[in-house]
Amino acid sequence: MAQQWNTTVPKADVIVADGGINGLTAALAIAQQRHRVLVLEQEDSFGELETGIRLSAQTLRALDRLDVGDAVREHAVDIRTLRLLCGTTGMPLAVVPGDGRGSPSPSCPSTVVRRTELFGVLLAACRGNPDIELRAGSAVVGYEQTADRVTAVLENGERHSGNALVGAGGSCSPVHRQVTGAVLRPSRNTFYHSVVPGERLPAALRSPVLTVWARPSWQLMQCPTGHGRFEIAAHCLSASERIVEGVPVDSGRVMRDFPNAAEPVRELLRLGDDWRMWIPCGSAPVDRWADHRVVLTADTDRPTLPFAAQHAAHQALEDAVHLGDLMDCDAADFPGTFRTYAEHRRRAAARARSWAAYAVFADGRGRGLPDLYGMRG
């Protein structure tokens, strides 16, 4: 059931920098407090990547509070089981059952939905809300603020002023860098992504199961995304001199980054015929999530391994709803509200960093891969 509209708090003007999934979720949650929200998207149109996003039962409940949970479930695929396999031998290491209504273990997500479909639900809800204005082609390059106002400065010279600014664009965004002082540089992570029609997969891999082949330095995930299609997401640790965003690559390029992989992994890498590569920007651990009237949301403190990053992705949606709940207050109270949110976010990010660091070095400590992923066979 959707949360009731708040009619007692005076309306404030809130700017959300970035019109992706996290930004639209934050916009809906903040507008639910009857504040006016302006969403500024840097691209010329609103859109999302054709990748899957794994949602926990708790995330779906958070989306229910925005009255979009049922619409998201219509597009989602229930995940029955998570299987963890050794990346080099293919031997099974652990199995975590799920029931599609909420997993008995936090290791197993509840559902998978394509980001484009989740985005479409959120975008329709924002367009139907009279307190939300969406503006594309508006790249925010920084901000200025006084005691009671903050101004978003755009690349084209425009300036938009409000009572608060929410940076939802992740660690590469100018708002994130201004709040944290981070330097833009490539991370040590390379991600590859492809979507394959189910009929091209081996029969054993066509079931509603999330399968992970893993080593401490790389992993490959394969799971259904609906409409008879399956996502293949691969990740490895490697040095790079530049940031890369969605560059097409061939399967041979991908396979070179996964030496000594088990044959099922190599087969999946060969099946992908529309591979794209990302090398995201890296940043030091985030300890500053707010700057007076500016606050950060989104998965800006992403763990190293993408299996951990899936938790960061749906945690970001939950945090956006939590931020909206906290903004059930007068605009004069936003700085204190953002400090409260920042403390919550610092604790969550610290847990994620500890988990990721444990994962990367687990083998060197003599621990097994099921321990690395917090799973038991």
Side-chain angles (χ1 to χ4, degrees), residues 162-287:
N163 302 107
L165 171 63
V166 178
S171 56
C172 290
S173 70
V175 173
H176 177 277
R177 298 202 305 275
Q178 188 170 345
V179 170
T180 64
V183 177
L184 190 63
R185 58 178 175 79
S187 74
R188 294 180 59 246
N189 301 279
T190 301
F191 295 89
Y192 300 99
H193 178 267
S194 182
V195 177
V196 177
E199 61 268 19
R200 295 182 56 192
L201 290 177
L205 296 178
R206 298 177 194 169
S207 58
V209 172
L210 172 60
T211 304
V212 181
W213 288 265
R215 296 296 302 161
S217 61
W218 64 261
Q219 72 171 207
L220 181 139
M221 294 188 296
Q222 180 265 332
C223 68
T225 60
H227 306 287
R229 297 169 70 80
F230 288 77
E231 176 186 11
I232 305 173
H235 162 266
C236 65
L237 298 177
S238 61
S240 175
E241 296 181 354
R242 63 192 182 100
I243 295 169
V244 176
E245 296 186 356
V247 173
V249 295
D250 59 36
S251 59
R253 168 68 175 81
V254 182
M255 293 180 70
R256 287 196 294 274
D257 277 342
F258 297 84
N260 304 316
E263 182 53 35
V265 174
R266 298 180 65 81
E267 182 175 8
L268 285 171
L269 294 177
R270 287 191 293 265
L271 283 172
D273 57 6
D274 62 346
W275 285 105
R276 291 185 176 270
M277 178 176 70
W278 282 263
I279 301 175
C281 61
S283 64
V286 177
D287 289 315

Side-chain angles (χ1 to χ4, degrees), residues 145-147 164-166 179 287-296 322-323 326-327 329-348:
Q145 62 179 320
T146 62
L165 171 63
V166 178
V179 170
D287 289 315
R288 191 180 188 207
W289 292 85
D291 175 18
H292 194 53
R293 291 189 171 274
V294 183
V295 66
L296 300 177
H322 178 59
L323 175 62
L326 293 176
M327 293 178 71
C329 61
D330 187 272
D333 299 323
F334 283 167
T337 293
F338 293 165
R339 287 193 296 272
T340 300
Y341 170 83
E343 184 56 36
H344 155 80
R345 198 64 191 88
R346 270 194 294 271
R347 291 194 298 268

Side-chain angles (χ1 to χ4, degrees), residues 293-306:
R293 291 189 171 274
V294 183
V295 66
L296 300 177
T297 184
D299 47 342
T300 57
D301 207 20
R302 179 175 289 270
T304 301
L305 295 179

Side-chain angles (χ1 to χ4, degrees), residues 18-41:
D18 192 75
I21 285 174
N22 295 306
L24 296 186
T25 302
L28 286 170
I30 295 167
Q32 201 163 58
Q33 309 306 335
R34 298 297 287 171
H35 298 311
R36 292 177 291 264
V37 184
L38 171 63
V39 181
L40 300 175
E41 165 57 36

Side-chain angles (χ1 to χ4, degrees), residues 16 18-28 39-53 55 63 68 71-73 75-76 112-128 134-136 168 317:
V16 175
D18 192 75
I21 285 174
N22 295 306
L24 296 186
T25 302
L28 286 170
V39 181
L40 300 175
E41 165 57 36
Q42 66 175 349
E43 302 296 335
D44 291 335
S45 61
F46 286 82
E48 259 292 352
L49 299 173
E50 187 68 23
T51 62
I53 181 170
L55 303 178
L63 294 175
V68 296
V72 172
R73 289 183 181 89
H75 299 286
V112 174
V113 64
R114 288 194 295 178
R115 295 182 72 94
T116 50
E117 293 178 329
L118 172 59
F119 178 81
V121 170
L122 295 171
L123 184 63
C126 285
R127 285 175 169 162
L134 302 171
R135 187 172 299 184
L317 297 179

